[in-house]
Amino acid sequence: MTDVKTELRRRALARRDLVTHAEAHDAALAVARRGLALVDELSARTGLETPVVSVYWPIRSELNTRPLIEALARKGYRVVLPVMHKVRHPLVFRDFAPGDDLVKGPFGLSEPAEDKPARDPDVIFSPLAAFDRKGFRLGYGGGIYDATLAQLRPKKPVTVVGLAYSCQEADHVPTEPHDERLDYLMTERELIIPA
């Protein structure tokens, strides 16, 4: 199973790395519009006026989420960024507003400082390496989002949206018992509701 996942991850990330600057820019704007519309819809459906929305800070060739963060903040939603402490351990989510300084975390990621309040999100926009239309994601191999969702979902309703370029789609993502299914997948082209 590990070899299959490793190869699928390698191929999907290689395709993602080929996305041009112009394509990445257009994708970020499309996802910001689509992501804001989805949060608006979820907010109306659940009755949460100001849901807590987690959005990852992009690294490497990940789909750029900064326009989405700015759109959510402008609309008055509470934005949090994930903070990673250990592999295979749940994330902590800390407040973030555009313009806030970020610090380098223990794994080299840009994260809110420890003095920012921690909150459990209602909506999580998750990065990924590959996805399929059944709602399964292949992450980077650390098991962090699976551990996070396994801890959060029993405590409260949380909607999880995988963000990726359409070129990262796979016919089938191999799964294991601990793999958590996503509620939605969003690309520059469409919002996918898993079958």
Side-chain angles (χ1 to χ4, degrees):
M1 177 75 78
T2 303
D3 290 344
V4 174
K5 284 187 169 185
T6 301
E7 181 58 19
L8 177 57
R9 183 179 296 115
R10 186 194 65 72
R11 285 196 321 264
L13 293 178
R15 286 193 303 272
R16 187 179 81 182
D17 288 344
L18 296 176
V19 172
T20 68
H21 179 72
E23 290 168 335
H25 175 76
D26 291 347
L29 296 180
V31 163
R33 286 191 301 273
R34 196 170 282 123
L36 180 60
L38 178 61
V39 173
D40 286 346
E41 179 188 321
L42 294 169
S43 178
R45 193 185 317 155
T46 61
L48 288 171
E49 286 183 31
T50 53
V52 177
V53 184
S54 170
V55 185
Y56 64 88
W57 191 260
I59 60 170
R60 298 186 292 274
S61 60
E62 286 178 341
L63 200 147
N64 182 4
T65 55
R66 281 173 270 191
L68 174 59
I69 291 169
E70 290 167 9
L72 292 165
R74 274 195 308 273
K75 190 76 182 264
Y77 292 123
R78 185 178 298 278
V79 176
V80 293
L81 297 185
V83 175
M84 184 174 143
H85 292 292
K86 285 174 125 178
V87 172
R88 302 201 192 294
H89 282 73
L91 295 162
V92 172
F93 299 90
R94 296 197 178 278
D95 280 357
F96 176 77
D100 285 358
D101 288 332
L102 295 172
V103 298
K104 286 287 181 204
F107 294 89
L109 303 175
S110 296
E111 301 171 342
E114 291 287 322
D115 63 347
K116 295 289 184 181
R119 303 179 196 280
D120 286 342
D122 301 297
V123 180
I124 296 175
F125 286 94
S126 164
L128 52 84
F131 69 91
D132 66 24
R133 289 189 175 252
K134 292 179 184 156
F136 290 105
R137 72 184 279 280
L138 180 62
Y140 301 128
I144 298 159
Y145 274 89
D146 291 319
T148 301
L149 298 178
Q151 180 189 63
L152 270 179
R153 282 179 162 159
K155 292 192 329 190
K156 65 182 285 188
V158 59
T159 301
V160 188
V161 185
L163 291 185
Y165 293 105
S166 55
C167 66
Q168 293 172 256
E169 183 175 347
D171 291 335
H172 170 73
V173 170
T175 59
E176 297 176 71
H178 67 271
D179 289 325
E180 293 276 338
R181 194 167 179 252
L182 303 175
D183 300 293
Y184 297 93
L185 291 140
M186 187 177 293
T187 74
E188 75 281 14
R189 294 183 183 165
E190 63 185 322
L191 175 65
I192 300 164
I193 301 172

